[in-house]
Amino acid sequence: STVRTFLMKAFHFFVKTLCSSSIRDTQCGFKLFTRDAAIVLFSNLHLTRWAFDTELVVLAEMMGKDACPIAEVGVKWEEVDGSKLDTSKLSLALVSLGMLRDMICVRSCYTLGLWRLRR
């Protein structure tokens, strides 16, 4: 749908602006971590809603490429009907605003030192 495409492009813009310019799709369902990186990342995670992936990317970049390398790898994907997300226009808009709020929160809290990476 046009609304969903617009929201996706807007989300990618805000991810690039607020979180990371090195990762294009933070919402991909596939994420692989070493055991050590996973322990550090998930013990520092504050977000529990839809945008938690963006905080993972911010934390991984804070850890550095040696401790937590990041790469996007293409996978063959087949869209399957059904979603955990209510796709009504109002619901999509509200979820999108919540994700934007969370990304602003992540950037602000780490920049201001309210949240810190504990290793």
Side-chain angles (χ1 to χ4, degrees):
S1 82
T2 305
V3 171
R4 195 170 183 147
T5 301
F6 170 79
L7 292 173
M8 177 195 65
K9 289 183 186 244
F11 180 76
H12 287 222
F13 169 79
F14 286 114
V15 166
K16 185 175 184 176
T17 304
L18 296 169
C19 300
S20 172
S21 59
S22 64
I23 299 294
R24 291 184 53 221
D25 188 359
T26 60
Q27 300 310 109
C28 170
F30 299 102
K31 291 164 186 59
L32 302 172
F33 306 99
T34 63
R35 177 182 170 84
D36 291 340
I39 290 169
V40 173
L41 289 169
F42 287 95
S43 66
N44 279 281
L45 195 63
H46 294 88
L47 298 183
T48 58
R49 294 176 296 268
W50 288 100
F52 81 94
D53 314 68
T54 61
E55 186 180 6
L56 282 177
V57 171
V58 168
L59 288 168
E61 289 184 348
M62 289 172 68
M63 289 175 66
K65 292 182 189 226
D66 291 335
C68 191
I70 302 174
E72 285 185 287
V73 178
V75 295
K76 185 177 179 184
W77 186 262
E78 193 171 314
E79 194 66 37
V80 177
D81 287 340
S83 173
K84 293 179 183 173
L85 181 62
D86 181 355
T87 57
S88 70
K89 290 178 184 175
L90 176 61
S91 180
L92 284 174
L94 292 174
V95 168
S96 298
L97 288 172
M99 291 174 81
L100 176 58
R101 177 206 57 223
D102 286 349
M103 287 187 285
I104 291 169
C105 179
V106 165
R107 176 54 58 206
S108 300
C109 288
Y110 284 111
T111 299
L112 296 173
L114 300 173
W115 295 349
R116 290 188 171 84
L117 176 63
R118 298 176 317 277
R119 295 182 188 250

